[in-house]
Amino acid sequence: MVRKNRIEELAREYVSVKTHTGTEMERNAEAFFSSYFENIPYFQENKRHRGFYPIKKDPLKRNISWAFYKGQGEKTVVLIHHSDTVDTDDFGLYKDKAYNLDQAKEVLSQGKLPLSKELKEDLSQEKWFYGRGISDMKGGGSIHLALLEEYVQEENFKGNILLLAVPDEENSSAGMRSASYLMKELKDKYNLEYVVMLDVEPHERSDEEKFTIYDGSIGKMMPIFLVRGKLAHTGQIYAGFSPIHLLSGIVRKTELDPQFVETRGTTTTPGPTWLYMKDRKYVYDVSLPLTAGGYMSVLSLSKSPLEIMETLKKSAEEAFAEVIADSKERYKPFKETSAITYGEMEYEPIVYTFDELLSLVKSQEGISLEELEEKEDAIVKGIQEGEFDRIEGSYQWMEYVLSQLNHKEPCVVIGMAAPYYPAVNNGDLPSKEKTDAFLEDFAKELKDVYGMEMEVQNYFTGICDLSYGMFTASKETIDYVENNLMLWGKDYEIPLHLIKEMSMPVFNIGPWGKELHRYGERVYQEDLLEKVPHMVDFTIRKFLEQ
Ligand SMILES: [Zn+2]
């Protein structure tokens, strides 16, 4: 079958499979892949070259669908895409039509959902495919699948291809975080050399004539804060210390803080923002809450988690000192007029990283390490059984450890919450010259074949699985993450050592898409059926022949 017809056929079938992220439906992808494997003689004969690799510690028991084509030599290209999509609630009454490209288009064409001017215009031309996941990213996945089908029919194929369809990308990338173990197993078994990882996520484009390629992906981390105050009845408020007041001081100081805005190459990160802040009080009473918690999102390019957390710790200490000073100031008029007073407000700004707190607690006399571990395990069990979510579990763990601390002074604990996406860029690897030279070849091919210009974006800013294609930060950073990310190794982990060992250049070469995660989701047909497959094929062959 002609390549473009095959891609369309695969995409239609793939989209029809419901794989809502973070649900058991994600396992439906396996049936799709089983029939894909069964249709290809190479994979019928080589059953050990494909399969379903279980995700570690996954309550939903999802698997990575994978296929490995062993050609000649050791050089191996890794093709990744995610098999999950967001749900279809956005389609409202028509949510069942979202899994069929024709029906999805029909719903929109008939104006059954509100249409923007741009969407109306696009609908009037036959240039786009519509439907849940067609753009993000079953269309792109179908490009990889169609190419692999072609390669397995080539005799004397130079190099090897590993194709991975990973679950959970829209959630916390459990699929890609486990994929490193599979990659390591195959690497050892067949003595592979991984030369490049290619993702095929869609991208927004301002200029139709400019083809966008990404040679990196933005980093994202979530610092999580637990703040302890001092309990007091509201009538005796000056004897207490409000954790809400303190936490808001920290929020006020760090929200959009330009210290965290980074520019590298063509990319500038937006400042950090708080996603959540709340007291940890569950019922109403007239006391202050004892603790309050919040977490924020920080996007990064070259700053390591260690640097980011150190800066945050300093900001938290400053905010703490300011809140103490303000409180004292505001206490004054009361002290001068009231017959009853509450002594002096004497506090020190105490800020611990989670690692510091845990070490401190463990060093105290009479602490049972077994009990600590049991508590942590119980919390993990609660998360895995769906009793509460990962963030709530993180707070419970921080609270428990803090409650074991001998002193009861107001203090702040800072840790990291999952997920964590390392920032990656090919410029950080020793192969930088090679990848730069490749980009020149890529630009030339685009110009020669399609008359298009190439636009290199140094970071895919939508956050994607390429974050786990390399890890270039120091061992010190790995230790820091492992010691400060909540419930690390029990509920959430990233094999950073493995990723560091297998580090390879990464590129995202995907189609033009619009309105991802919304009912207007669409992908540009020409990109999906012709340009992207051609350019991905060009890239694969370039890296395998080098
Ligand atoms: Zn995606």
Side-chain angles (χ1 to χ4, degrees), residues 82 136-137 169-170 201-202:
H82 61 83
D136 188 11
M137 62 179 297
E169 192 270 353
E170 301 288 2
E201 290 274 10

Side-chain angles (χ1 to χ4, degrees), residues 507-521:
F507 287 102
N508 187 75
I509 306 171
W512 182 13
K514 286 186 184 175
E515 297 196 59
L516 312 184
H517 299 194
R518 290 180 283 169
Y519 59 77
E521 175 173 359

Side-chain angles (χ1 to χ4, degrees), residues 294-329:
Y295 59 88
M296 63 193 305
S297 163
V298 184
L299 300 177
S300 66
L301 304 180
S302 43
K303 284 196 171 123
S304 75
L306 183 60
E307 281 175 272
I308 289 169
M309 294 291 283
E310 271 172 358
T311 311
L312 276 176
K313 191 178 175 196
K314 224 177 126 247
S315 299
E317 282 162 356
E318 287 167 15
F320 206 148
E322 286 163 18
V323 168
I324 296 170
D326 285 352
S327 301
K328 280 185 175 168
E329 198 55 36

Side-chain angles (χ1 to χ4, degrees), residues 375-411:
K375 181 68 188 177
E376 190 178 11
D377 289 342
I379 291 170
V380 170
K381 195 163 167 251
I383 297 171
Q384 304 254 322
E385 288 176 356
E387 219 178 292
F388 39 81
D389 67 9
R390 185 173 269 157
I391 284 281
E392 172 58 25
S394 300
Y395 280 122
Q396 289 186 11
W397 178 225
M398 290 171 97
E399 260 171 347
Y400 180 77
V401 176
L402 184 58
S403 73
Q404 302 300 298
L405 189 66
N406 281 342
H407 81 70
K408 302 295 170 207
E409 289 303 306
C411 62

